[in-house]
Amino acid sequence: MNRSMAYFLLDKGILGCGVEEVLDIYFRHCSIKVCCEDLARMALVLALDGTDPLTGKTLIPRRYVQITKTFMVTCGMYNGSGEFAISAGLPAKSGVSGGILTLVPGRYGIGVVGPALNPKGNSIAGVQLIERLSRTLDWSLF
């Protein structure tokens, strides 16, 4: 499917380089090995508008963080994004390995891992945990 999409983008003049080059980069990004702590730390940097709380250094420009969080809310949980926005109300990005990176803006970065996936490709336990935390602690942005 990714290869088909890349050839479609190439045909429409959207892709500015070779399909295999783009797919290689995409697949490498999809294969980065992280643990739950790594997910939480990345989420914390996003929660703090791109600033590393340990060093105080800005790692990601604020505008890029805004764009990232918007994509996380609108499509970060695949076809379950709308439902997750209603139930948890937090920016999140899931991966097919069962990891979820989510954040409470200005406060927390959260990483969860649960390998069993629901039909939409999101961690069953992870979604349930984040939804419960958000409801209990009133974290929803909405």
Side-chain angles (χ1 to χ4, degrees):
M1 183 155 132
N2 293 318
R3 187 166 271 104
S4 296
M5 180 74 72
Y7 276 108
F8 174 76
L9 294 172
L10 181 67
D11 183 60
K12 296 297 178 186
I14 296 170
L15 200 60
C17 57
V19 167
E20 295 306 318
E21 179 184 351
V22 168
L23 289 176
D24 181 61
I25 293 167
Y26 173 75
F27 292 141
R28 288 175 188 269
H29 279 94
C30 290
S31 303
I32 296 171
K33 182 178 178 182
V34 297
C35 66
C36 199
E37 182 180 349
D38 296 329
L39 292 172
R41 182 150 166 73
M42 289 184 280
L44 182 58
V45 171
L46 291 172
L48 299 177
D49 289 329
T51 301
D52 181 342
L54 298 179
T55 65
K57 182 178 177 183
T58 298
L59 301 177
I60 307 167
R62 188 170 190 278
R63 180 65 181 144
Y64 294 161
V65 174
Q66 289 174 323
I67 293 167
T68 301
K69 290 190 287 190
T70 301
F71 276 117
M72 289 170 71
V73 169
T74 59
C75 55
M77 299 295 283
Y78 307 114
N79 286 342
S81 296
E83 183 180 339
F84 187 81
I86 292 167
S87 61
L90 298 172
K93 176 63 185 108
S94 69
V96 295
S97 65
I100 301 175
L101 174 156
T102 190
L103 59 103
V104 180
R107 299 176 71 189
Y108 309 114
I110 302 162
V112 296
V113 176
L117 304 179
N118 65 23
K120 294 180 179 168
N122 300 308
S123 167
I124 295 168
V127 167
Q128 290 177 355
L129 175 63
I130 295 164
E131 288 174 346
R132 182 174 288 186
L133 284 169
S134 182
R135 276 193 311 274
T136 302
L137 300 172
D138 194 30
W139 284 344
S140 176
L141 301 177
F142 309 108

